[in-house]
Every structure is written in structure tokens, then in C-alpha cells.
Amino acid sequence: MDWEFNLSDRQQRVLQATINHYVATAEPVGSKVLVEEYNFSVSTATIRSCLSFLDKSGLLYQPHTSAGRVPSDIGYRIYVDRLMTPNRQTQQKVETVLQDKLNWQSWSLEALFKGAAQILASLSGYITLITMPRSQNACLHHLQLTQVDGQRAMLILVTDTYQTHSTLIDLPDMDEEEKSTETIARELEILTNFLNHNLQGRLLTELQSLDWTQLDTQFQRYGEQLTQVFQQFQTLQTPAAGTEIMMSGVSELLRQPEFSQLQQVQALIHLLEEEPAQLIPLIVRVPEEETIKDRVKVWIGMENPLEPMKNCALVASSYYRGSTLAGSIGVLGPTRMMYENAIAVVEATADYLSEALS
């Protein structure tokens, strides 16, 4: 949303200083504070005139007639869109902490994302929301065929997101001399090696397209049943499976003065704990949005469509597996948010997760 405001340089500086001071103190801001602490080389009367103009423009307001000003949702929007830049020092700090504390090469995907959510919540002071990678984009990491008995074998499939699927398959009809345990085990080993060589790294949705004519006749008899099994695995890869949300930091949010009293935060906690799926449209981008230039989406106050979030801000971005959109990450806090830091930590974490998955 693009708001049309023609602000002078001084008015922009006053708005920026007011927001910075209010974010830091949670106290309404007056002209005297701005002159004394933000190097305005003008009188308090001049600053009062700027504050009055910003108030009449809807960018600031007075919670009480005798109080200083606080930012409105529109004021925060102008600040985010025009006046602030992400804090690159914070971004570098987050990148360093993630590299030091997490081990994407040896941890399970769930442990990695849980650790990332906890670190981000701790560093930002806000609730962290991370969607697990979209299963329909999962690739085959490894599969194994193992004999269970004389009639059945187990197929175990592991994705690159370390999700595991398994199923029993019936062994094909065999002559008596082919039914020995040694012969079946040797066939399953050869077939396992063939499948891994040809399918490793392929999307699960592509597994059933294997050309079985590359195999000798004795192995082709496995083809029809394995193709059916791969099709079954494909049906498991629904979009809903990719929208599981890893959440951390509710206790961090409760430290914010806006949510110091339980009744102020009950509806929000209920939303997070009982109806987290309602958050998915706010943080998950759809495929046609992948080319959007802005990496980060910021919802501020009344822009949020969910009633419990009307006093909150949500900063969200996407992470990728290669060039494919894999999932999203966001931080949720009060509208009195340090946006330059929130945007920086979200970007840094999205970059880290993209690197880990790629």
C-alpha cells in the first residue's frame, strides 16, 4: 500500500526520531525530548509544529491530551517503506550465531528448524514462525529394499528433508530355485543400487517415470508394483503437509509492555496455539509471488486481517531449495517493533535456511 504524503526533510526526521524513541521507551514522545536527544538545531516550538502536522496527517496521535505523541499504523508504514533500512550489523550477528549454533550437515531437519526458531525468537524478542519445507517439493535422498520374509519386502524411502516413508511390497512370482533368501537378497541389493543411481535427487512426483527397460528381465517384474508404490508416495505430498508451523518465543512476547496483562494477549495466544493454520496465508507466499522483488512482507496493525493481531506487526520472508520456493519464516511482535532489526533477522535466517536446504 502506497500512502501519499509529501513530508519535508525535517518532518521526516521528526517522524523517524519519534518512532525510534517510542520503540525504545514505549513512552509518548514530546518536543523537548526530541530537541535534547536527537540533535535538532531548532526550537521546541518548531518541533511542536512538526509534531502537530504529523498528528493532523494521521502519522502520529496523542493517547491523552496532555501526553506526547505515539506512532499510528500509517506512521509505522511510512517509516518502514521510506525511512528505515535493515540493520546489516544485526543481520551479520544473526548469520554468525546460526552458523555457530546449528549444524545443518548432521542435524535432522526438524532439529535444525526448531533450533533456528528458538535462536531467532531469542535474538529478536518476538515470536518466530517457520513453516516446514513443502513436501511436494521434496526430493529422494535414499531408498532401501529389504526382505521381510519369503513373500514380502519393505521399501524405505528417505527424502532430502529427512522425512521417512515405508511400505511393504509383495515379491514377484519366482521359480523355486529363485526363492532362496540369498537370491532374493542379492536381487534386492542390485535393485536398490539401480534405483538410487537413477532416482536420487529426483522430486518424489517424478519417481514413477523410471524407465524399467534399462533393467534385465528378471528385475523388470518388480517395476509395476514399485511404480504403484511411488505413485502412492506422491499422493502423500499434499500442500497441507508443507504448512506445518514451527513456533517459538511466546514467552519473549509476553515481556513486551503491550502484553503485560493476560487479558491483552489471551486472544493472540489462542490463535497461536489453537488455530495456527489461520496464519499461513499471511506468511506463506504462493508460487506466482516468487518473483516479487521485495524479499520481506510486513503487516502492521490494522493491516492484519486477523482480529487478535490488530495490535501486532508480522515480518515474513521466504526460503528456497535451489530456485524453488520451499517455505516461509516470520516474526510476530507488537506494532512497536524495531522493524530494521526484525527485517534483518528474518532475511538472515531465510538465507541460512536456503543455504542449508540447497
Side-chain angles (χ1 to χ4, degrees):
M1 186 178 296
D2 186 20
W3 298 93
E4 294 294 334
F5 290 98
N6 295 316
L7 302 179
S8 68
D9 289 343
R10 179 178 294 159
Q11 290 163 351
Q12 291 184 46
R13 287 184 58 211
V14 169
L15 176 61
Q16 187 169 12
T18 302
I19 290 176
N20 288 338
H21 195 81
Y22 181 67
V23 167
T25 66
E27 295 291 337
V29 184
S31 57
K32 183 178 179 181
V33 169
L34 294 177
V35 170
E36 292 177 350
E37 298 189 22
Y38 290 89
N39 298 319
F40 286 103
S41 56
V42 295
S43 66
T44 55
T46 300
I47 298 301
R48 279 198 300 272
S49 176
C50 285
L51 290 172
S52 177
F53 175 85
L54 295 170
D55 190 320
K56 291 177 181 177
S57 299
L59 305 181
L60 302 176
Y61 69 94
Q62 284 183 293
H64 309 289
T65 54
S66 60
R69 266 78 171 187
V70 301
S72 67
D73 291 349
I74 302 174
Y76 283 124
R77 172 53 64 193
I78 297 300
Y79 176 76
V80 168
D81 289 349
R82 302 186 192 176
L83 304 179
M84 56 130 274
T85 56
N87 189 326
R88 298 308 172 194
Q89 185 176 357
T90 297
Q91 188 169 1
Q92 292 171 359
K93 176 184 176 181
V94 173
E95 291 171 353
T96 299
V97 173
L98 291 172
Q99 294 287 351
D100 290 345
K101 300 292 186 181
L102 303 180
N103 189 340
W104 57 265
Q105 293 177 313
S106 61
W107 288 13
S108 71
L109 193 75
E110 183 174 355
L112 174 70
F113 277 65
K114 183 177 181 180
Q118 291 173 340
I119 289 172
L120 187 53
S122 176
L123 292 177
S124 68
Y126 308 127
I127 293 174
T128 298
L129 307 163
I130 304 180
T131 64
M132 297 296 285
R134 299 182 179 191
S135 298
Q136 66 267 37
N137 293 329
C139 297
L140 175 68
H141 175 68
H142 180 76
L143 61 78
Q144 182 73 41
L145 281 164
T146 304
Q147 185 178 4
V148 175
D149 53 39
Q151 288 78 41
R152 296 176 302 169
M154 176 170 286
L155 173 64
I156 302 172
L157 182 150
V158 182
T159 72
D160 61 342
T161 60
Y162 295 99
Q163 294 174 320
T164 301
H165 304 287
S166 62
T167 189
L168 291 173
I169 65 170
D170 294 327
L171 294 172
D173 294 333
M174 300 179 181
D175 298 333
E176 286 301 320
E177 61 269 19
E178 296 179 311
K179 289 185 177 180
S180 69
T181 301
E182 294 79 9
T183 300
I184 294 173
R186 186 167 59 251
E187 282 196 4
L188 293 178
E189 181 181 1
I190 293 172
L191 188 56
T192 293
N193 291 337
F194 169 80
L195 293 172
N196 279 309
H197 176 75
N198 286 277
L199 298 178
Q200 194 171 50
R202 300 267 292 271
L203 292 171
L204 297 194
T205 53
E206 301 174 338
L207 298 188
Q208 71 272 21
S209 61
L210 181 65
D211 182 7
W212 292 95
T213 61
Q214 298 178 54
L215 278 169
D216 293 338
T217 304
Q218 75 213 62
F219 295 105
Q220 291 181 19
R221 58 192 176 185
Y222 291 89
E224 182 178 352
Q225 185 169 186
L226 285 174
T227 298
Q228 293 176 355
V229 169
F230 291 149
Q231 288 174 338
Q232 292 172 6
F233 284 146
Q234 179 183 346
T235 63
L236 297 174
Q237 312 311 306
T238 61
T243 52
E244 177 187 355
I245 297 179
M246 190 75 68
M247 187 182 309
S248 183
V250 173
S251 61
E252 302 288 343
L253 189 70
L254 295 180
R255 295 190 179 98
Q256 302 292 338
E258 290 88 343
F259 304 115
S260 59
Q261 298 181 11
L262 185 59
Q263 63 266 29
Q264 295 172 315
V265 76
Q266 280 181 329
L268 182 61
I269 291 178
H270 176 82
L271 172 67
L272 295 171
E273 293 183 347
E274 304 297 331
E275 303 177 89
Q278 291 194 49
L279 296 169
I280 291 171
L282 303 184
I283 62 175
V284 175
R285 292 185 176 182
V286 295
E288 56 264 28
E289 291 181 317
E290 291 180 32
T291 57
I292 289 179
K293 292 181 180 180
D294 294 335
R295 292 189 58 196
V296 177
K297 172 69 176 179
V298 182
W299 300 82
I300 299 174
M302 297 300 292
E303 297 172 0
N304 287 294
L306 302 177
E307 186 62 34
M309 294 172 59
K310 296 297 186 182
N311 293 319
C312 297
L314 175 65
V315 178
S317 187
S318 298
Y319 64 89
Y320 294 80
R321 180 186 288 112
S323 60
T324 303
L325 184 66
S328 300
I329 174 172
V331 294
L332 176 66
T335 54
R336 188 188 57 83
M337 175 183 283
M338 195 171 292
Y339 291 94
E340 51 268 70
N341 285 357
I343 291 172
V345 297
V346 166
E347 287 184 336
T349 309
D351 288 343
Y352 176 85
L353 295 178
S354 296
E355 179 184 355
L357 289 180
S358 299

